[in-house]
Amino acid sequence: MPESICILICQNRTCKKQGAAEVFAAFRALAPPEIAYEGCGCLGNCGNGPMVLVLPARIWYYRVHPQDVPTILTAIEQDSIELD
């Protein structure tokens, strides 16, 4: 798995009102150590929050809920395996 994968989870005001803190907690609980994740400021798409951005692939996820996190992590891991 490429070591440069980083997941940004918006923690700005609007996304937080929409549950971004819970999404961040789900990533903290479920993300494997080789996948970095961090809270960030506004990702510029407030009406579709909580927003998640996977770098360096620039894959956007919108209206993310905590129960979506396992699916997102699986997608990242499968794409990474194919790239190796």
Side-chain angles (χ1 to χ4, degrees), residues 9-15 39-47 51 60:
I9 306 118
C10 180
Q11 296 295 297
N12 206 28
R13 179 178 36 195
T14 303
C15 282
C40 67
C42 185
L43 291 170
N45 209 341
C46 301
M51 296 297 301
W60 292 85

Side-chain angles (χ1 to χ4, degrees), residues 9-73:
I9 306 118
C10 180
Q11 296 295 297
N12 206 28
R13 179 178 36 195
T14 303
C15 282
K16 273 197 165 180
K17 287 181 184 176
Q18 298 169 338
E22 292 82 3
V23 172
F24 185 85
F27 276 106
R28 182 176 43 228
L30 300 172
E34 60 271 13
I35 295 180
Y37 62 92
E38 60 186 63
C40 67
C42 185
L43 291 170
N45 209 341
C46 301
N48 292 315
M51 296 297 301
V52 171
L53 174 60
V54 179
L55 298 173
R58 299 192 56 82
I59 299 170
W60 292 85
Y61 293 91
Y62 61 94
R63 295 187 182 118
V64 177
H65 299 282
Q67 63 267 26
D68 299 325
V69 171
T71 303
I72 293 170
L73 291 171

